[in-house]
Amino acid sequence: MQILVPVFAVLCSCPVWSTHLEPDQDTSVPEEWIDAGRVAPSDRVELTLALRQQNVDRLRELLELVSDPHSPQYGKFLSLEEVASLVRPSQLTNKVVRSWLQNHGVKDCQSVVTEDFLQCEMTAREAESLLPGSEFHRYFNGQHSLVRSTSRYSHSRGPVQAPGLCGRCAPLSIRDAGLLRGRYNLTAADVGSAENNSQAVAQFLEQFYHPTDLKEFMTLFGSGFKHMDKVAQVVGTQGGGKAGLEASLDVEYIMSTGANISTWVFTNPGRHESQEPFLQWMLLLSNMSAVPWVHTISYGDDEDSLAAAYMTRINNEFMKAGVRGISMLFASGDSGAGCRHLTKGSNVFRPSFPASSPYVTTVGGTSLKNPFKMSYEVTDYISGGGFSNIFTMPSYQVSAVTAFLKSKQALPPSTYFNTSGRAYPDIAALSDNYWVVTNRIPIPWVSGTSASTPVVGGMLSLINDQRFLKGLPSLGFLNPRLYKLLGQGLYDVTEGCHLGCLDEQVEGKGFCAAPLWDPVTGWGTPNYPALLAALLD
Ligand SMILES: *[C@@H]1O[C@H](CO)[C@@H](O)[C@H](O)[C@H]1NC(C)=O
Ligand SMILES: *[C@@H]1O[C@H](CO)[C@@H](O)[C@H](O)[C@H]1NC(C)=O
Ligand SMILES: *[C@@H]1O[C@H](CO)[C@@H](O)[C@H](O)[C@H]1NC(C)=O
Ligand SMILES: *[C@@H]1O[C@H](CO)[C@@H](O)[C@H](O)[C@H]1NC(C)=O
Ligand SMILES: *[C@@H]1O[C@H](CO)[C@@H](O)[C@H](O)[C@H]1NC(C)=O
């Protein structure tokens, strides 16, 4: 599915306002969308303004310190108020932006605790005069209507990782909560009990879960371990209508591994339907002092379809979450290494963002070697993975990735990927043949890395739980610590390759799994008791 993404993410990256298009931004209208013409000048639109933050370098340093288990500052997380005093825009930025808005008659703006976002309502006429050259049009795709500027949008694969139904699956081996818990060596005693523990899934794009589905799922599949069958808090508007497969899957599985842990759902969090919900969700986190410790999200875009300034700003938001001790987990995508057709018939792999962000933990997918029994895990060929073309390799992964690149493993031709980039995924879990209850019907064979992500997220929440019981802080941004484990506590997936370009050079193949870290399954899948032991100090 393709959708239009954030036009309304007007990035004020400098005190002096600039509204030029990022040169790398794609501005063609995705296929399924029809331009239904310019909106009336008096129609109301909402713009989200991201104001330039201060001390971003210091924020990055602090994230490294609080996430590095060898640092004396490990786990010394900041409160939202402390983050605010670090990144709050300068007086000059505020003054310039506010007088610019005032000069255009824009008065209805709301800020957040960190003061680095403004959300302003205005007429289309005002918005167009605010952003010279922009024109607001209404777009339809048959189902939804959106208002976007003609000069500012980009392609998105939306919930790229929207789970799919498997075509030729083994009928005997469908995952349910009990089977999964068994595979990852969770016992009946491995459930949450710490008072203030919490976890969340974030849903966008009209994806709703139904409380009755969750209840029925737990009745059917949740025997043998203590669990909750209700979501503790829904943030945002749950629309009416049918439940989404993705939403049902995420909630049902994070609550199966992260059993008996208070679970939140963030859903279409904006006040207006026309808003870009991913950005709305990020913004909301900067306006709430108490948010869950672990967030799992199955959402992504092609890296090459997004403006670098936009991704950099989203990275700053991930850093802000990380210094607060919050773990962000993203699905690695369901297209393997991906493929981008360049001119002259040449192809390159196509990384996806936020999976390629250096500041999140990215989760890949595995299958069972013999699907008829709990054999061992191999690569799921859809598992997203590769190397960013935008973000350089973070120091925490340099030695692991270098070891992979130097191993005897046959690599795709070097023209297909960028060895200097952030490599992903970081970790993995089973990603095929899941049972999901949606709209009261149990559906078998649901697949995708959007299944692996809540499964891993729930296990991290259980580890947080044990840490809280010992008086320790949450895990926060896991990667610096994860890469220091060198695979300890994880089941190393070493077999199989994922998808790549369907051309003569690589013949549909991307990278292949290998001992230790690899760009298909990361370090492998959690062996819960061993991982817990490795992360309990
Ligand atoms: C942030 O929270 C404050 C206080 O609850 C609220 O007034 C404000 O509207 C919120 N900001 C946004 C952008 O929603
Ligand atoms: C479930 O969690 C609650 C706290 O939310 C705790 O009091 C209770 O003991 C937990 N149940 C089990 C079986 O650990
Ligand atoms: C739980 O959270 C509440 C409110 O944030 C706080 O007052 C309380 O001390 C916390 N309890 C524990 C055990 O951390
Ligand atoms: C490779 O990645 C680096 C950043 O890691 C970037 O500067 C460079 O432009 C990328 N090369 C290509 C061909 O995209
Ligand atoms: C679970 O434990 C068994 C027995 O120790 C081990 O063989 C298996 O690999 C473990 N599972 C994972 C996912 O590591």
Side-chain angles (χ1 to χ4, degrees):
M1 167 164 54
Q2 289 200 314
I3 55 125
L4 298 164
V5 239
V7 208
F8 292 168
V10 179
L11 292 166
C12 179
S13 54
C14 43
V16 178
W17 189 261
S18 78
T19 55
H20 65 268
L21 269 180
E22 291 294 319
D24 53 350
Q25 202 166 356
D26 188 343
T27 59
S28 60
V29 182
E31 268 168 32
E32 304 92 89
W33 292 85
I34 295 161
D35 185 342
R38 197 163 171 178
V39 303
S42 60
D43 278 4
R44 297 196 73 76
V45 300
E46 185 154 64
L47 299 188
T48 298
L49 311 176
L51 277 63
R52 179 183 213 165
Q53 297 154 323
Q54 297 193 89
N55 303 313
V56 172
D57 290 339
R58 180 69 189 138
L59 178 67
R60 190 177 300 109
E61 271 168 35
L62 276 173
L63 179 66
E64 277 171 28
L65 293 173
V66 299
S67 318
D68 172 3
H70 295 162
S71 154
Q73 268 163 274
Y74 180 67
K76 299 215 163 76
F77 299 125
L78 276 63
S79 66
L80 180 61
E81 287 63 31
E82 287 167 328
V83 174
S85 59
L86 192 68
V87 302
R88 185 176 286 141
S90 70
Q91 283 188 342
L92 179 59
T93 299
N94 268 318
K95 219 174 126 192
V96 171
V97 172
R98 285 183 194 270
S99 70
W100 171 66
L101 291 170
Q102 241 161 35
N103 290 342
H104 289 86
V106 179
K107 286 182 223 87
D108 184 6
C109 294
Q110 313 221 31
S111 189
V112 294
V113 173
T114 48
E115 295 174 37
D116 48 0
F117 283 110
L118 275 181
Q119 211 161 55
C120 305
E121 232 190 276
M122 65 197 81
T123 63
R125 185 192 298 114
E126 284 163 342
E128 287 175 1
S129 86
L130 205 53
L131 307 169
S134 69
E135 235 180 55
F136 288 86
H137 284 229
R138 197 172 292 282
Y139 295 87
F140 285 106
N141 76 340
Q143 257 185 311
H144 303 300
S145 150
L146 290 173
V147 174
R148 291 294 187 259
S149 156
T150 48
S151 61
R152 258 184 192 273
Y153 45 68
S154 55
H155 288 185
S156 162
R157 286 183 284 159
V160 246
Q161 291 87 7
L165 294 181
C166 171
R168 36 173 196 92
C169 308
L172 291 179
S173 67
I174 304 161
R175 326 279 176 250
D176 62 29
L179 273 173
L180 264 174
R181 289 178 59 89
R183 169 62 202 162
Y184 295 120
N185 293 327
L186 290 160
T187 67
D190 294 316
V191 299
S193 61
E195 191 129 333
N196 277 353
N197 197 9
S198 54
Q199 57 190 2
V201 297
Q203 304 297 343
F204 312 116
L205 307 164
E206 312 295 321
Q207 280 274 340
F208 312 119
Y209 90 100
H210 282 178
T212 46
D213 290 341
L214 175 60
K215 226 179 155 82
E216 185 169 335
F217 175 87
M218 287 303 182
T219 307
L220 287 173
F221 304 113
S223 55
F225 62 98
K226 166 85 181 155
H227 54 76
M228 295 185 180
D229 58 11
K230 275 203 192 76
V231 164
Q233 196 162 330
V234 175
V235 186
T237 6
Q238 272 261 90
K242 291 179 87 171
L245 192 58
E246 171 76 61
S248 312
L249 170 73
D250 290 7
V251 171
E252 289 164 15
Y253 282 91
I254 198 169
M255 293 179 74
S256 296
T257 49
N260 198 39
I261 293 173
S262 171
T263 304
W264 297 25
V265 173
F266 286 82
T267 179
N268 301 300
R271 286 177 295 157
H272 291 261
E273 261 185 82
S274 59
Q275 290 170 315
E276 161 56 30
F278 179 71
L279 199 63
Q280 295 309 310
W281 166 72
M282 291 259 59
L283 188 145
L284 207 60
L285 297 186
S286 286
N287 211 23
M288 296 172 78
S289 53
V291 289
W293 297 106
V294 172
H295 294 249
T296 79
I297 305 101
S298 306
Y299 177 89
D301 297 324
D302 294 332
E303 220 184 34
D304 58 86
S305 75
L306 296 170
Y310 173 76
M311 291 187 275
T312 300
R313 177 55 189 251
I314 296 296
N315 276 344
N316 293 354
E317 299 308 305
F318 292 146
M319 289 190 244
K320 280 161 63 184
V323 296
R324 295 167 67 187
I326 297 166
S327 308
M328 293 279 176
L329 275 69
F330 277 83
S332 73
D334 293 349
S335 318
C339 191
R340 183 182 183 198
H341 306 290
L342 301 175
T343 45
K344 293 175 283 164
S346 68
N347 295 326
V348 290
F349 294 150
R350 187 168 220 173
S352 119
F353 180 83
S356 70
S357 167
Y359 308 108
V360 302
T361 298
T362 304
V363 185
T366 63
S367 303
L368 287 176
K369 173 73 173 178
N370 176 351
F372 292 93
K373 53 179 198 183
M374 269 294 161
S375 48
Y376 62 95
E377 279 166 84
V378 298
T379 294
D380 183 347
Y381 67 98
I382 56 107
S383 179
F387 294 77
S388 173
N389 288 317
I390 309 287
F391 306 109
T392 52
M393 191 180 296
S395 57
Y396 61 75
Q397 65 172 191
V398 169
S399 71
V401 180
T402 309
F404 168 81
L405 291 170
K406 284 190 178 152
S407 68
K408 288 189 210 79
Q409 178 75 38
L411 290 172
S414 62
T415 53
Y416 279 70
F417 66 103
N418 191 336
T419 52
S420 63
R422 148 56 161 155
Y424 68 96
D426 304 300
I427 193 166
L430 284 165
S431 55
D432 64 0
N433 296 358
Y434 278 75
W435 273 113
V436 174
V437 176
T438 191
N439 299 303
R440 308 299 294 268
I441 301 167
I443 298 183
W445 307 319
V446 176
S447 299
T449 51
S450 49
S452 353
T453 309
V455 165
V456 172
M459 284 189 269
L460 290 189
S461 285
L462 285 180
I463 298 174
N464 271 343
D465 207 273
Q466 291 298 308
R467 292 178 59 86
F468 295 155
L469 292 177
K470 283 186 71 177
L472 295 168
S474 62
L475 289 167
F477 176 45
L478 183 67
N479 289 8
R481 185 152 192 193
L482 177 68
Y483 281 76
K484 282 202 165 78
L485 295 178
L486 304 175
Q488 190 194 346
L490 295 142
Y491 177 84
D492 192 2
V493 179
T494 58
E495 261 186 58
C497 305
H498 68 176
L499 299 168
C501 295
L502 279 168
D503 60 24
E504 280 176 11
Q505 277 217 68
V506 297
E507 297 178 327
K509 211 160 95 176
F511 298 95
C512 299
L516 302 173
W517 183 88
D518 57 69
V520 187
T521 59
W523 285 101
T525 63
N527 180 5
Y528 179 74
L531 190 61
L532 172 66
L535 295 175
L536 207 47
D537 58 21

